[in-house]
Amino acid sequence: EVQLVESGGGLVQTGGSLRLSCAASGFTFDDYAIGWFRQAPVKEREVVSCLTNGDGSSYYASRVKGRFTISRDNAKNTVYLQMNSLKPEDTAVYYCAARDGPGLIYSAHDVHYWGKGTLVTVSS
């Protein structure tokens, strides 16, 4: 059974930090591009950041570039999202996502597997 299990969400003040984790199982993690999406109330799900399965290329949405850092540990089948300098507009449910094959993940339509999400709330 494929599982992506997120953890690390919570309530934080503006300017604070959180580290999200996503533990994967049930598929060959090394073969998959992995990333984070988020969805705020009444908004579409959007890509935050992602990593390829091979060359280590990464992508960051302009809204988070310079504040968020994505990393993966293939030995632990885990992907992380370090979020610093958080803003109220970062408030959303954050979802872990995986897609088989090379390249980055730019669209929710390309995702093969989803986690159930973890809520991040940034208070002003």
Side-chain angles (χ1 to χ4, degrees):
E1 178 188 6
V2 171
Q3 284 192 313
L4 293 171
V5 180
E6 302 97 335
S7 60
L11 174 64
V12 64
Q13 291 186 332
T14 297
S17 298
L18 284 174
R19 188 194 195 205
L20 305 183
S21 299
C22 171
S25 60
F27 62 98
T28 307
F29 185 74
D30 297 13
D31 291 343
Y32 280 68
I34 199 86
W36 292 91
F37 284 68
R38 69 185 181 186
Q39 188 165 18
V42 303
K43 291 191 176 180
E44 291 187 357
R45 194 170 295 189
E46 61 178 4
V47 62
V48 175
S49 182
C50 58
L51 277 172
T52 61
N53 65 346
D55 64 4
S57 297
S58 62
Y59 167 81
Y60 293 92
S62 58
R63 298 175 188 177
V64 307
K65 201 167 188 178
R67 300 188 295 122
F68 292 9
T69 302
I70 190 171
S71 60
R72 64 189 293 169
D73 186 337
N74 287 346
K76 296 182 178 179
N77 285 3
T78 301
V79 60
Y80 305 96
L81 186 68
Q82 178 67 43
M83 305 187 295
N84 298 329
S85 302
L86 283 161
K87 306 175 181 180
E89 51 263 44
D90 295 319
T91 294
V93 177
Y94 284 71
Y95 297 90
C96 184
R99 192 218 60 217
D100 190 13
L104 293 163
I105 310 172
Y106 293 111
S107 169
H109 298 292
D110 296 331
V111 174
H112 292 161
Y113 303 129
W114 290 103
K116 293 184 178 181
T118 184
L119 177 62
V120 171
T121 304
V122 184
S123 63
S124 57

